[in-house]
Amino acid sequence: MVKEGIESALNRKPSKTPPRQTIIDGEVEAKLIALRCGEPPAGQARWTLRLLADIAVELEIVPAISHETVRQVLKKTNSNLICARCM
């Protein structure tokens, strides 16, 4: 705020809460991509984000993961360019 002076505008205050620990590392990303590039489970025509999240937990790749996190991982890695079957 303007009342606190120019120093407060230029320097950030320390966060009151610690940053969240990430559960996704390179190994987890690689396993998600490999899962995505494989065939979907029987009875499924294609992979969905929710299905990928559920199977990743079932296979104990991660203890818990949301479909949004799966989306971010696949978007970040541009999995369509990696996976020939996806094209």
Side-chain angles (χ1 to χ4, degrees):
M1 289 179 69
V2 176
K3 295 177 186 177
E4 295 174 9
I6 190 107
E7 275 305 308
S8 67
L10 296 175
N11 298 316
R12 299 181 103 184
K13 288 192 262 183
S15 178
K16 293 179 183 177
T17 59
R20 293 180 67 180
Q21 279 283 34
T22 59
I23 61 167
I24 305 299
D25 59 7
E27 183 179 343
V28 171
E29 283 183 11
K31 288 180 180 180
L32 280 173
I33 292 167
L35 187 61
R36 166 64 176 91
C37 289
E39 290 294 319
Q44 302 293 325
R46 61 187 171 91
W47 285 105
T48 64
L49 296 175
R50 292 178 196 276
L51 183 58
L52 282 166
D54 292 343
I55 298 295
V57 172
E58 282 180 27
L59 295 175
E60 297 179 356
I61 295 172
V62 289
I65 191 168
S66 71
H67 67 280
E68 176 59 17
T69 303
V70 171
R71 184 193 68 79
Q72 290 172 358
V73 167
L74 295 178
K75 181 178 179 183
K76 181 176 93 172
T77 58
N78 206 354
S79 65
N80 285 341
L81 296 177
I82 296 170
C83 181
R85 186 185 72 78
C86 301
M87 299 179 95

